[in-house]
Amino acid sequence: MSGVWDVAGGPSARRRFASLARSVRLFRGFLVEQTDPDHFYGLLADDSVRQVGGYSALAGRTVLDVGGGPGYFASAFRAAGARYVGLDPDVGDFSAAGESVAGMVRGSGTALPVQSAVVDVAFSSNVLEHVSEPNRMLDEMVRVTRPGGVLFVSFTPWLSPWGGHETAPWHYLGGDRARRRYQRKMGRSPKNRYRETLFPLSISDVLRWARGNGDVEVLEALPRYHPWWGRWVIRVPGVREIAAWNFLLVLRRVGDEPGGAARKTELTGGRVAM
């Protein structure tokens, strides 16, 4: 795997990466997330590392994965030459992907046990909607990222077709109702429990936080799994909450930018309606 996706190649290189074929592969993988998580998350990890590599070199850089969970991203980042550190409240979950706990830190995303300005890439995949104080977690990710470093954060908006996770699509009728329906049907409580381990987070909420934080610059705001020509949905309030499916925000920590740090792209031009 290449450590850096060639952003300098211009729009044609970006379009080749965000292709329809890629989107189809990811959505097909998503269909077996519950039954074959190794396949889906392995696919997503490889794809994510390529995407992150479009904004920062990875070889020799420190990547902090906030909410690393079972560690599916560890091998992918390490294969790209990164110094990977995963953080999760329960390090025991890391073994689910067959990884050891080496390089794994136990801690909370809203109070990172990491010094300020020491991380080159702060990464978090599908964690933010499971945090009761998402802005606090985002603030912590900014704090630990060095000037010129990159923050790569994705999550599933509440109004996405998968917003209720295993209780979807019944979450459209209310999170509590969807949870009760799941319990009646399955005979057990869902893993992602409304307002306990799953919270109704919106894209607009996160964009509003980004706009109000003077320590970061928005490099990209886009639907994570869509082909390049579908990225317009993020510019339309309301529509994006449903059509984006999964939202990706790429930020740069402002300050003096050392060589090899993030480069702003032209996909959104930094202009996204809040």
Side-chain angles (χ1 to χ4, degrees):
M1 180 188 302
S2 173
V4 181
W5 172 46
D6 186 14
V7 171
S12 62
R14 293 192 289 273
R15 291 179 182 183
R16 284 196 300 272
F17 173 76
S19 66
L20 178 60
R22 165 189 174 261
S23 297
V24 171
R25 283 196 302 271
L26 289 172
F27 277 107
R28 283 179 174 173
F30 178 79
L31 294 176
V32 297
E33 179 197 14
Q34 298 293 316
T35 57
D36 190 1
D38 288 350
H39 172 72
F40 172 69
Y41 287 106
L43 181 69
L44 183 60
D46 288 340
D47 183 85
S48 298
V49 170
R50 288 192 65 203
Q51 221 170 9
V52 173
Y55 306 95
S56 173
L58 291 173
R61 304 298 175 91
T62 300
V63 175
L64 175 66
D65 183 0
V66 180
Y72 289 104
F73 293 90
S75 59
F77 274 112
R78 287 169 180 160
R83 294 189 296 267
Y84 174 92
V85 178
L87 181 142
D88 200 86
D90 186 0
V91 177
D93 286 345
F94 200 54
S95 61
E99 297 283 346
S100 72
V101 295
M104 194 69 181
V105 176
R106 184 174 186 175
S108 169
T110 58
L112 296 175
V114 178
Q115 293 180 354
S116 299
V118 296
V119 171
D120 296 300
V121 177
F123 175 87
S124 181
S125 175
N126 298 320
V127 173
L128 203 61
E129 72 268 33
H130 301 289
V131 178
S132 61
E133 299 177 282
N135 286 4
R136 187 173 174 183
M137 175 174 149
L138 291 168
D139 287 339
E140 278 289 274
M141 291 180 68
V142 173
R143 178 184 64 79
V144 302
T145 304
R146 64 172 180 79
V150 172
L151 292 89
F152 185 102
V153 183
S154 76
F155 69 94
T156 304
W158 176 247
L159 292 180
S160 158
W162 189 241
H165 289 47
E166 68 267 49
T167 68
W170 303 100
H171 67 293
Y172 284 124
L173 301 179
D176 290 325
R177 179 178 294 182
R179 176 178 174 176
R180 291 194 298 269
R181 181 186 181 278
Y182 184 93
Q183 282 186 285
R184 288 195 304 270
K185 183 177 180 179
M186 306 301 294
R188 65 179 186 276
S189 182
K191 176 182 178 181
N192 299 286
R193 299 179 298 279
Y194 182 64
R195 294 197 180 278
E196 290 183 17
T197 58
L198 179 63
F199 299 87
L201 184 62
S202 73
I203 294 173
S204 292
D205 289 338
V206 175
L207 288 174
R208 193 173 300 113
W209 167 86
R211 181 180 59 183
N213 192 311
D215 292 327
V216 294
E217 174 188 12
V218 176
L219 300 180
E220 297 280 23
L222 49 88
R224 185 180 185 184
Y225 306 143
H226 287 31
W228 66 268
W229 42 261
R231 295 178 174 184
W232 62 269
V233 301
I234 296 300
R235 300 181 181 180
V236 186
V239 172
R240 64 190 175 205
E241 304 294 344
I242 300 172
W245 192 280
N246 190 276
F247 177 62
L248 170 62
L249 185 66
V250 185
L251 306 167
R252 178 173 58 192
R253 181 74 155 86
V254 298
D256 293 336
E257 183 177 343
R263 291 162 291 180
K264 192 168 184 176
T265 72
E266 301 168 356
L267 290 175
T268 65
R271 299 177 182 273
V272 181
M274 302 297 175

